[in-house]
Amino acid sequence: MKPSFTKCQYQLALLVTIITLLSACKTNKAVVIDENNTKNTNVYVVGYEYNDSKFESYIEEIADDVGMKHIAKLWKNGKSIPLEKSELYADANAVIAKNNAVYVAGTIRPKEDYIATLWKNGKIQKLTNGIETAITNDIFIDKKDVYILGGQYNNVNYDINVWKNEKIVSTLKSTNWISAHSLFIHNKNIYVCGYEESGTKSEHFRNNNVAKIWKNGKEKSLTNGTTDAYALSIYIDNNKEYVAGYEIINNKYIPRLWVNGSEQNLSYGGNNAIAKAVFVHNGTTYVVGYEIINYVGVAKLWINGKGENLTLGKYNATTTDVFVHNNKVYVVGYENNKNDRYVAKLWIDGAPINLTDGTKNSYANAIFVE
């Protein structure tokens, strides 16, 4: 089986969490959940859940070998909503709602290879035929047009595709390994961010990936290839390009926010950290990810560059996506529990809500609020 981008990213994140650090942990303040904080608002979260409760978190490294399966998940206001054929090895990576329809982008694996998949109101629509592994990573709606970002294996590496209304309208190709994670449509321009191998090797067998933006297929490098760097999320606001990701310098993981190509370091304490997603609202930037504090991954939210801890640092945790609606900040991610199971989580203005009961490993990947 050929690896998917999602699984590779998870394995990389898992590697970071075991790095030794010396800094002290700062705990966040206790929060109280307001039961009315989602009134008149629909909160959609997507991710996946494993099918067996007996496997601890670390077993995912050999999940395929022991017969574990993902089940793609959609939660609406905390309630699980069925997705057609979700009993297959499947995951959900992006969600958006518009015009009385809910769109979920992800993958299924009925046989050996993954199929790029779109669910519309729970009904499955396959974007590829399953002959070669293909995945989807992001989704965007511009007026009535539905754009999906993904990749398809070409026997050497991945071609990056953008589907518009289920038809491919853009393809990025490279002789080097290439990966794209995030999509944004602005003024009919198609923006994609990700990374590409530079073709040279650095220490620790890294490939010196170059963080990049592609605008209508034309690339712009955010880093010069002398380090390893990854662009994971893009947002366009007021004609400015905001990109979240991270860079590895001297074996240190540094969370980055690039604004029109100019980098900002989000972490000043010297800890390893990764920025995973960015959202801009009324000129304020919201970035989520995680930071390793005293050997533990702590879920993070950076507002205009100032970091807040969303977890106490007792168990490994990360945030994966952020959305701002009616001046409330919605964040999703997952946190390990005392039984070594990951729990899919939603935070509303810092207040944590469990989306799963903690008996099976579960992960929240993306959020949309209307």
Side-chain angles (χ1 to χ4, degrees):
M1 184 190 68
K2 306 173 188 74
S4 72
F5 297 158
T6 304
K7 195 164 189 178
C8 290
Q9 183 182 356
Y10 173 78
Q11 291 171 342
L12 177 62
L14 185 64
L15 176 63
V16 177
T17 62
I18 63 175
I19 297 175
T20 301
L21 300 166
L22 300 176
S23 298
C25 175
K26 296 181 180 179
T27 59
N28 61 337
K29 296 180 180 179
V31 292
V32 178
I33 297 176
D34 178 2
E35 295 180 354
N36 296 317
N37 57 14
T38 59
K39 189 176 181 180
N40 300 321
T41 300
N42 288 319
V43 181
Y44 300 94
V45 179
V46 294
Y48 60 96
E49 183 175 32
Y50 274 101
N51 67 333
D52 200 318
S53 62
K54 69 177 180 288
F55 292 114
E56 297 177 345
S57 300
Y58 73 89
I59 205 71
E60 289 190 43
E61 293 299 311
I62 56 171
D64 296 339
D65 298 329
V66 298
M68 293 178 67
K69 291 183 178 180
H70 287 163
I71 297 175
K73 301 289 289 187
L74 165 65
W75 296 274
K76 179 181 178 181
N77 299 331
K79 181 181 179 181
S80 179
I81 305 296
L83 294 172
E84 191 175 58
K85 295 188 178 180
S86 62
E87 75 278 3
L88 301 172
Y89 196 112
D91 53 34
N93 296 320
V95 60
I96 197 167
K98 193 171 184 179
N99 301 326
N100 297 316
V102 180
Y103 301 85
V104 176
T107 60
I108 62 172
R109 200 192 86 187
K111 295 181 180 179
E112 179 66 18
D113 291 295
Y114 289 88
I115 296 174
T117 301
L118 169 68
W119 288 272
K120 180 180 179 181
N121 289 335
K123 299 296 183 181
I124 195 168
Q125 301 175 24
K126 299 176 183 178
L127 301 175
T128 54
N129 56 19
I131 295 176
E132 291 292 344
T133 279
I135 64 171
T136 64
N137 277 342
D138 205 1
I139 189 168
F140 196 98
I141 295 181
D142 184 36
K143 297 180 180 179
K144 294 183 179 180
D145 294 321
V146 180
Y147 294 81
I148 297 173
L149 172 68
Q152 188 162 12
Y153 197 71
N154 62 16
N155 293 320
V156 178
N157 56 18
Y158 279 86
D159 294 331
I160 305 304
N161 293 329
V162 176
W163 289 267
K164 177 182 177 182
N165 301 328
E166 300 178 50
K167 295 183 179 180
I168 295 176
V169 294
S170 174
T171 299
L172 302 173
K173 293 178 176 286
S174 175
T175 55
N176 296 321
W177 187 270
I178 187 173
S179 179
H181 286 262
S182 182
L183 170 72
F184 203 98
I185 310 299
H186 180 67
N187 290 337
K188 298 183 179 180
N189 295 307
I190 300 174
Y191 293 84
V192 172
C193 80
Y195 54 89
E196 183 178 5
E197 288 184 4
S198 67
T200 60
K201 301 285 185 180
S202 64
E203 62 178 344
H204 305 292
F205 303 101
R206 297 194 182 107
N207 294 306
N208 283 359
N209 292 298
V210 180
K212 291 188 174 184
I213 298 173
W214 291 267
K215 179 181 178 181
N216 299 326
K218 184 178 180 180
E219 70 176 47
K220 178 172 68 175
S221 297
L222 299 174
T223 54
N224 60 17
T226 60
T227 61
D228 228 11
Y230 303 81
L232 302 180
S233 176
I234 187 167
Y235 198 99
I236 310 299
D237 182 73
N238 198 25
N239 294 317
K240 289 184 178 180
E241 301 168 357
Y242 297 83
V243 178
Y246 64 102
E247 189 172 6
I248 306 173
I249 300 177
N250 296 326
N251 207 32
K252 182 70 68 176
Y253 288 66
I254 302 172
R256 297 289 198 203
L257 176 66
W258 290 274
V259 181
N260 285 342
S262 297
E263 69 182 37
Q264 299 178 15
N265 181 5
L266 296 172
S267 179
Y268 300 98
N271 293 333
N272 287 278
I274 286 177
K276 290 191 171 185
V278 58
F279 193 96
V280 183
H281 180 69
N282 291 336
T284 299
T285 60
Y286 302 83
V287 179
V288 294
Y290 68 90
E291 182 179 8
I292 307 298
I293 302 175
N294 287 345
Y295 313 103
V296 177
V298 176
K300 297 286 293 192
L301 167 66
W302 291 272
I303 301 178
N304 285 338
K306 184 178 180 180
E308 301 178 8
N309 295 345
L310 297 180
T311 54
L312 299 174
K314 186 175 182 180
Y315 303 109
N316 280 320
T318 186
T319 51
T320 54
D321 200 11
V322 56
F323 200 101
V324 180
H325 180 74
N326 287 342
N327 295 317
K328 290 186 179 295
V329 183
Y330 299 80
V331 177
V332 292
Y334 43 91
E335 183 179 19
N336 212 347
N337 63 18
K338 64 180 180 180
N339 297 319
D340 197 19
R341 306 294 186 274
Y342 276 103
V343 180
K345 304 197 77 158
L346 164 68
W347 291 266
I348 303 177
D349 285 341
I353 301 170
N354 291 342
L355 298 173
T356 54
D357 62 9
T359 58
K360 302 175 184 177
N361 287 319
S362 304
Y363 305 85
N365 288 332
I367 186 171
F368 183 84
V369 183
E370 66 169 356

